[in-house]
Structures are given as C-alpha cells and as structure tokens.
C-alpha cells in the first residue's frame, strides 16, 4: 500500500500546485486523519490516501466526469458532491487502486452517511477540524474525536446543516438521514 501513498502524494502535489490553499488543506486533512487513525487502529495508509485524494477533483470540470448515473442525479441537485464522487473514481483511474474502503470514505466526506466505518468517520471529521480551517471549533472537534468518533461526527453534521440553513440552502435528504442516524434531532425548516 505504501507505493500508493507515494503516488497519491505525487499526483496531489502536481494537480494542486497552483492551489496553495487547497494543497495546505489537503495535507492538513491527511495529517489529522493519520493522528486519529493511530488512536482508533485504522489502516494509516488507507486513511492517508483518502485524505490526500478527498479534494483531488475540487477543480475538475464536469466534462471530465466518471460518475455513475445515480451520482450524476445527486450532483444535478447538489453540485458540491461532484468533487467527492469524482475523486473516488480517480483513486481507481489515476492510482490504479481499486479499494472500496478508500473510495467510500472519499464519497461520503462531504455529508457523511448512516453507519460509516471508522475510516469514513475519520476522513469526514478531519475535513472539518484540520488545523488550517477557519472554523472556531476545530480543536474542540479534534479533541472530541479522540474520545468519541460518533459524537464528533454528529457535531460536524450539526455545524454543516446549520451553515446551510443560515445561507438559506436546504440540506439534502441524504444529509438529514445521516444526521438523524447519528442521534440528531428533527430540524424545523
């Protein structure tokens, strides 16, 4: 697996070299995820690859799409999901790595989903709390995650949904289902 980690670093460095902020964020997610993986005994190579590739397709154009029909339907309603779905496919295309766990973690890093694996939870949380984020609660989220992944997941979901609602955007049905699955309460919106 180590050769895939090195290849992922090379690909990310090359693709994001003109996007310094995104590259810094990507490495912050990777580093945070590896720290959490050590605590929860999650495969560090897999989480490192997922962390490196989670935003790999952030600047891709839709014409380069590898998405399934179902993913395309979701992207029509929620364009924010394009980069997650696309990046998951690019793990297989550009790294020649067909690893469902890594690809699933990347696919669900934006909203989460019910019944996430620890690898998926760690990537989801790390995207929120890596130290380069401008959120005020990043350290608190990381500290919470070191004690209880599910509580940290729920908190991140609450932050995400509140942010959408403040911007007069409606959370997706899948996002609300994930939130409820982790113990969230019904939203009035």
């Amino acid at each position: 697996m180590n050769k895939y980690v090195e290849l992922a670093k090379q690909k990310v460095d090359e693709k994001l070299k003109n996007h310094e902020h995104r590259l810094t964020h990507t490495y912050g997610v990777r580093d945070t995820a590896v720290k959490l993986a050590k605590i929860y005994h999650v495969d560090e190579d897999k989480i490192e690859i997922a962390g490196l590739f989670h935003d790999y397709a952030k600047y891709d154009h839709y014409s380069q799409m590898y998405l399934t029909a179902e993913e395309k339907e979701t992207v029509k309603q929620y364009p924010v999901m394009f980069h997650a779905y696309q990046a998951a496919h690019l793990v297989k295309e550009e790294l020649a790595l067909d690893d469902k766990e890594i690809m699933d973690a990347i696919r669900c890093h934006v909203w989460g989903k019910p019944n996430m694996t620890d690898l998926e939870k760690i990537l989801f949380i790390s995207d929120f709390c890596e130290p380069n984020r401008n959120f005020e609660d990043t350290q608190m989220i990381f500290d919470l995650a070191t004690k209880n992944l599910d509580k940290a997941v729920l908190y991140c979901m609450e932050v995400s949904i509140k942010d959408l609602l403040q911007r007069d955007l409606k959370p997706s049905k899948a996002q609300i289902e994930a939130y409820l699955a982790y113990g969230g309460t019904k939203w009035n919106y």
Side-chain angles (χ1 to χ4, degrees):
M1 188 65 71
N2 206 341
K3 72 176 185 176
Y4 294 109
V5 171
E6 291 308 312
L7 181 58
K9 287 179 193 174
Q10 291 170 11
K11 294 275 189 184
V12 166
D13 287 346
E14 177 61 29
K15 188 166 186 174
L16 299 179
K17 67 184 175 192
N18 296 323
H19 303 281
E20 185 177 331
H21 173 73
R22 183 65 50 198
L23 192 58
T24 300
H25 166 69
T26 296
Y27 277 98
V29 170
R30 187 267 324 252
D31 294 346
T32 302
V34 168
K35 288 176 188 175
L36 291 173
K38 288 178 183 190
I39 294 169
Y40 291 99
H41 309 289
V42 169
D43 187 304
E44 291 175 40
D45 286 344
K46 287 187 180 198
I47 199 64
E48 190 167 1
I49 293 166
L52 288 167
F53 255 64
H54 85 284
D55 277 355
Y56 186 71
K58 197 73 168 177
Y59 305 106
D60 284 9
H61 189 271
Y62 288 170
S63 66
Q64 302 164 319
M65 204 180 299
Y66 285 95
L67 308 188
T68 66
E70 183 180 331
E71 290 168 340
K72 286 178 184 176
E73 283 303 309
T74 300
V75 167
K76 279 182 189 176
Q77 288 185 298
Y78 303 97
V80 67
M81 293 305 294
F82 172 73
H83 81 281
Y85 294 156
Q86 180 78 350
H89 290 283
L90 291 175
V91 166
K92 189 173 181 178
E93 294 295 319
E94 295 199 15
L95 298 181
L97 178 60
D98 189 5
D99 189 300
K100 184 175 176 4
E101 290 177 299
I102 293 170
M103 293 186 292
D104 285 349
I106 293 169
R107 270 186 199 97
C108 75
H109 86 269
V110 176
W111 292 336
K113 67 178 186 181
N115 303 310
M116 286 189 283
T117 66
D118 283 353
L119 187 131
E120 291 167 340
K121 291 174 192 175
I122 288 170
L123 183 61
F124 176 77
I125 294 164
S126 297
D127 191 31
F128 274 82
C129 73
E130 65 94 358
N132 302 295
R133 282 290 201 186
N134 292 327
F135 306 146
E136 60 186 65
D137 295 344
T138 55
Q139 187 61 49
M140 184 277 296
I141 293 169
F142 179 79
D143 292 343
L144 180 59
T146 65
K147 296 172 185 70
N148 188 310
L149 286 176
D150 288 344
K151 286 183 180 179
V153 163
L154 178 61
Y155 187 84
C156 292
M157 288 177 175
E158 287 174 348
V159 167
S160 179
I161 292 169
K162 283 178 184 177
D163 176 64
L164 289 173
L165 294 174
Q166 287 174 347
R167 294 186 291 143
D168 290 325
L169 298 171
K170 187 175 178 181
S172 75
K173 181 180 175 192
Q175 192 173 13
I176 295 297
E177 286 173 1
Y179 169 71
L180 294 173
Y182 282 90
T185 58
K186 183 80 173 117
W187 285 88
N188 295 321
Y189 59 103

